[in-house]
Amino acid sequence: MVRSRRSVRAYRPSPVPPSLLRGMLETARLAPSGANLQPGRFIAVQGTVRQHLSDELVQSWQQGRQEVEDYGYFPNPMPKTLRRRQVAAAQALYSALVIPREDRAGRNGQFERNFRFFDAPVALIITIENDFGSGGYMDLGMSIYGLMLAAQSHGLSTCAIGAMASFPGLIRRHLGLDERTHIVCGMAMGYADLEAPVNQTQTTRCSLDEYFRTMG
């Protein structure tokens, strides 16, 4: 199941039963956390709330109105070794879509789909309280992955959407959240459209020797 999971960016319109979503979230919350604090929240956005949120996100991104993010995601500056991984991931995505590097409009159009949750039937915004330290993000990350694996076990697919973190104030306003709520990411969930070219994207992982060693 772990080896078959991948980030899916095109979905069939088939709805996900609310009872199934609730059950998967309960499973995800079984993830371990320091002192059992269970940080973070999952918010499903639907109907007009989702439509208005996505419309303004797309408009704000097109106009270059990104905000100060609630937390730092990438290293700054980005080391060359990590930059190569980042570039390789982008090349895998746009190669699957047959969008060349010089096709800026095509690449922008694909990126905008982040803000529409890739038209998945389930759209989630994931948050954390602002007074948690790095450990809270680690614990929430385990819960997020738990949700991805729970979805996979039920024949569903997911894609985490880090782009949402670039518009924390906008999202808080649409969802009626206070300033203590940090926006971590979004998530798309649903039944994968297996024929969509974007879902043929294949990324690689670094070798075991790059991140594991035995001492003693």
Side-chain angles (χ1 to χ4, degrees):
M1 183 174 64
V2 172
R3 291 187 179 275
S4 63
R5 190 214 66 80
R6 64 178 61 185
S7 295
V8 164
R9 296 178 175 86
Y11 295 84
R12 305 200 317 264
S14 308
V16 177
S19 59
L20 177 56
L21 176 59
R22 293 179 66 88
M24 291 186 293
L25 286 163
E26 288 174 347
T27 298
R29 210 51 159 179
L30 297 176
S33 60
N36 199 33
L37 297 184
Q38 306 165 67
R41 298 291 184 269
F42 297 78
I43 303 169
V45 291
Q46 303 172 331
T48 57
V49 172
R50 174 176 172 172
Q51 184 65 54
H52 294 161
L53 172 62
S54 288
D55 287 347
E56 188 168 353
L57 283 167
V58 169
Q59 183 181 59
S60 295
W61 181 78
Q62 289 175 339
Q63 296 174 355
R65 292 192 277 119
Q66 287 90 331
E67 304 168 0
V68 176
E69 297 179 353
D70 289 331
Y71 69 103
Y73 195 106
F74 294 114
N76 187 16
M78 178 83 76
K80 290 183 179 179
T81 53
L82 300 185
R83 175 61 179 163
R84 284 194 290 269
R85 294 180 192 174
Q86 184 184 40
V87 170
Q91 289 174 337
L93 173 63
Y94 294 116
S95 293
L97 289 165
V98 197
I99 299 176
R101 183 179 181 85
E102 62 272 14
D103 184 359
R104 178 54 56 189
R107 291 188 170 218
N108 286 347
Q110 175 59 33
F111 192 83
E112 285 178 11
R113 299 190 67 244
N114 283 279
F115 302 120
R116 299 201 182 279
F117 300 89
F118 302 108
D119 299 313
V122 174
L124 300 173
I125 293 292
I126 301 170
T127 71
I128 194 170
E129 298 85 342
N130 69 346
D131 46 4
F132 268 97
S134 300
Y137 282 83
M138 177 180 69
D139 292 345
L140 177 57
M142 289 190 282
S143 188
I144 292 171
Y145 191 48
L147 179 57
M148 290 177 166
L149 295 183
Q152 194 78 9
S153 72
H154 287 280
L156 292 153
S157 296
T158 57
C159 185
I161 307 173
M164 296 292 178
S166 295
F167 299 93
L170 186 159
I171 293 174
R172 279 191 288 267
R173 175 165 52 80
H174 275 270
L175 303 187
L177 304 173
D178 61 32
E179 293 296 323
R180 293 185 63 255
T181 302
H182 278 185
I183 305 302
V184 177
C185 65
M187 182 184 290
M189 179 189 294
Y191 298 96
D193 178 354
L194 298 178
E195 302 302 318
V198 70
N199 287 339
Q200 311 313 309
T201 302
Q202 293 279 1
T203 57
T204 60
R205 297 296 183 267
C206 55
S207 68
L208 183 64
D209 289 341
E210 292 184 67
Y211 61 89
F212 174 76
R213 64 175 174 166
T214 301
M215 301 182 67

